[in-house]
Amino acid sequence: MTNKLNLFVDTAKKVCGGNLKSVILYGSRASDEAVEKYSDYNLLIILNEIKFSNLKIIAPAIQKWIKTNNTSPLLFTMKNFLNSSDVFPIEFLEMKLHHKILYGDNPFEKLSIELANLRHECEFELKGKFLKLQQAYILTGGKENKVKELLVDSISTFLILFRAVICLTGKTPPPKRLDVLTKISEFININTKPFVSLLEIKETPKLAKKFNIEIIFEEYIKEIEKVIDFVDNYN
């Protein structure tokens, strides 16, 4: 655990006392696939109760955490966390698949994800992110560098959604991004090349020069549509 995480957990334990139930790291930092320039430290905090007084106590620690270029942690009571799995099935499933317990109990042991809720959010998120991708492309004016940034910024989100689609079929998604692409291509006939190219660019930006970004974008949206069609027709 990094020094910044140690410091935050120690501070949370000190200010929250017995009200602190769990602190969990989730996302790419927990799955060891972080890309330093792009990856945040995502935290889930479970408290026994969340009243105004509890928020007031923990707020300074969270504000200090955010000032070091981290995202704000998610705060739940255990009851509300378990009761929210129908609203956030993809997010909670991703946490369950890739997390590290930094302190306290494991909240995922009792977490249940209903496939009907998962299918609905897969459709909602894929279509919503696809629409935003199209709109954002128009705003780039077709400028290559801006299109590249748009694609690189979007790739992780779509791969998370692809992991959820794999779970929807009853299969366990692999933790590695490239393996996710291989797995989903087993039951959806997609060309993984544009996704692999974007991962290469994300990890090594100077490699962008060897790719035609316009062609990657064209292939990228075509393959995403295939995944959307699969979810649309999945029963």
Side-chain angles (χ1 to χ4, degrees):
M1 188 161 54
T2 65
N3 288 335
K4 64 164 55 177
L5 285 174
N6 274 320
L7 180 60
F8 179 80
V9 172
D10 288 344
T11 303
K13 287 161 63 176
K14 181 178 179 180
V15 299
C16 295
N19 192 40
L20 182 64
K21 192 170 183 65
S22 305
V23 181
I24 298 100
L25 175 70
Y26 67 92
S28 60
R29 292 285 182 179
S31 64
D32 299 320
E33 281 215 302
V35 177
E36 197 61 37
K37 181 180 176 182
Y38 296 97
S39 300
D40 297 318
Y41 286 90
N42 300 305
L43 295 177
L44 168 67
I45 298 175
I46 306 293
L47 300 173
N48 287 314
E49 62 178 17
I50 302 178
K51 296 179 180 178
F52 173 71
S53 59
N54 307 123
L55 290 176
K56 191 173 182 179
I57 287 171
I58 199 173
I62 292 178
Q63 289 166 359
K64 188 174 181 179
W65 172 254
I66 293 171
K67 286 180 181 178
T68 57
N69 296 319
N70 296 298
T71 57
S72 183
L74 300 178
L75 298 175
F76 282 94
T77 64
M78 180 61 80
K79 178 181 178 182
N80 285 339
F81 177 72
L82 296 176
N83 288 342
S84 297
S85 64
D86 59 334
V87 183
F88 307 114
I90 291 177
E91 294 83 353
F92 284 10
L93 180 60
E94 188 67 15
M95 290 181 196
K96 187 174 184 177
L97 288 170
H98 307 294
H99 69 269
K100 291 181 180 178
I101 307 296
L102 304 182
Y103 170 79
D105 301 331
N106 184 351
F108 302 106
E109 291 178 346
K110 298 180 181 179
L111 182 69
S112 177
I113 305 291
E114 297 292 335
L115 288 182
N117 296 326
L118 181 60
R119 198 213 71 82
H120 180 268
E121 196 185 10
C122 280
E123 179 182 359
F124 177 83
E125 289 295 331
L126 279 167
K127 291 181 177 179
K129 296 296 187 294
F130 187 72
L131 287 172
K132 288 182 179 179
L133 183 66
Q134 292 175 320
Q135 292 169 332
Y137 171 77
I138 292 171
L139 294 177
T140 67
K143 295 180 179 178
E144 184 173 317
N145 195 50
K146 290 186 176 181
V147 176
K148 181 197 72 175
E149 290 178 3
L150 170 63
L151 290 170
V152 169
D153 287 344
S154 73
I155 182 68
S156 291
T157 296
F158 280 108
L159 291 182
I160 287 172
L161 294 176
F162 288 3
R163 271 203 285 254
V165 173
I166 292 171
C167 289
L168 186 63
T169 67
K171 301 177 178 65
T172 300
K176 301 295 182 182
R177 296 183 178 107
L178 290 176
D179 294 339
V180 167
L181 292 169
T182 301
K183 190 72 175 178
I184 199 168
S185 66
E186 291 177 1
F187 55 91
I188 303 177
N189 183 27
I190 64 168
N191 172 20
T192 62
K193 185 177 178 180
F195 302 95
V196 173
S197 298
L198 289 176
L199 287 175
E200 289 182 18
I201 294 171
K202 185 170 185 176
E203 292 176 5
T204 312
K206 65 181 180 181
L207 292 180
K209 295 179 181 179
K210 76 174 188 177
F211 295 104
N212 185 316
I213 298 299
E214 188 171 272
I215 290 176
I216 289 179
F217 184 86
E218 181 180 5
E219 294 175 343
Y220 187 63
I221 60 173
K222 179 182 177 182
E223 303 313 312
I224 292 171
E225 280 191 293
K226 291 180 182 178
V227 180
I228 292 173
D229 289 342
F230 175 84
V231 174
D232 258 343
N233 295 298
Y234 189 82
N235 295 316

